[in-house]
Amino acid sequence: MLGLALALLFGALMASRNPDDPASVVVVVAAFTTWPVVAVALQVLWFDRAATGRDIAQGELGVEHAWFQEAAATAFATMIGGLLFLEGVGDALNVSWMAPVGLAHALVLGLGTFAGSYLWLRFGRR
C-alpha cells in the first residue's frame, strides 16, 4: 500500500506539471506505471535486507556471499528504479540533465550503487 501511495503522489506531481493533459488520466497512468517499480524497490531495499541479516545469523549464507548478493540486489533495484525515475521526473518537470536517460546515468546508478552498497556492508557492519 505504501508503494501505491507514493505512486499516486508521483502521479499528482506529474499532473500538476502538465496542465494541458487531463489530470485524472495523468494521475492514473503515472500511478499504475510507477507503482510496480516503487513496490519492488521497497521490497528489495527494506524487507529483503532483514531476510539477508536473518540468513547470516542462522548460518545459511556465508557473510561475504550475503554482502555480494545484497549489494547486487540493491544495485539492480536502484538502477532500474533510478532510470525510470530520472526519465519520468526529468520529462515531467522538464529537467534537461535528467531526461533522456543515457549510458552515464545507467553506469553511475548501477556500478556506483553496487560499489557503495558493498563497501557499506563490508566495512560498516564490523
Side-chain angles (χ1 to χ4, degrees), residues 8 11-12 14-16 18-32:
L8 286 170
M14 286 188 71
S16 71
N18 295 305
D20 298 336
D21 300 326
S24 60
V25 173
V26 172
V27 170
V28 169
V29 170
F32 282 101

Side-chain angles (χ1 to χ4, degrees), residues 12-91:
L13 173 67
M14 286 188 71
S16 71
R17 297 294 294 189
N18 295 305
D20 298 336
D21 300 326
S24 60
V25 173
V26 172
V27 170
V28 169
V29 170
F32 282 101
T33 56
T34 57
W35 183 16
V37 174
V38 173
V40 168
L42 288 172
Q43 176 68 31
V44 169
L45 297 176
W46 190 319
F47 300 113
D48 285 352
R49 287 182 180 247
T52 302
R54 186 183 65 243
D55 291 343
I56 291 171
Q58 292 175 350
E60 294 178 16
L61 285 177
V63 175
E64 188 75 24
H65 178 71
W67 289 338
F68 189 85
Q69 186 178 19
E70 187 171 335
T74 301
F76 179 75
T78 302
M79 186 175 71
I80 298 301
L83 293 177
L84 291 173
F85 175 81
L86 287 172
E87 182 68 32
V89 171
D91 191 38

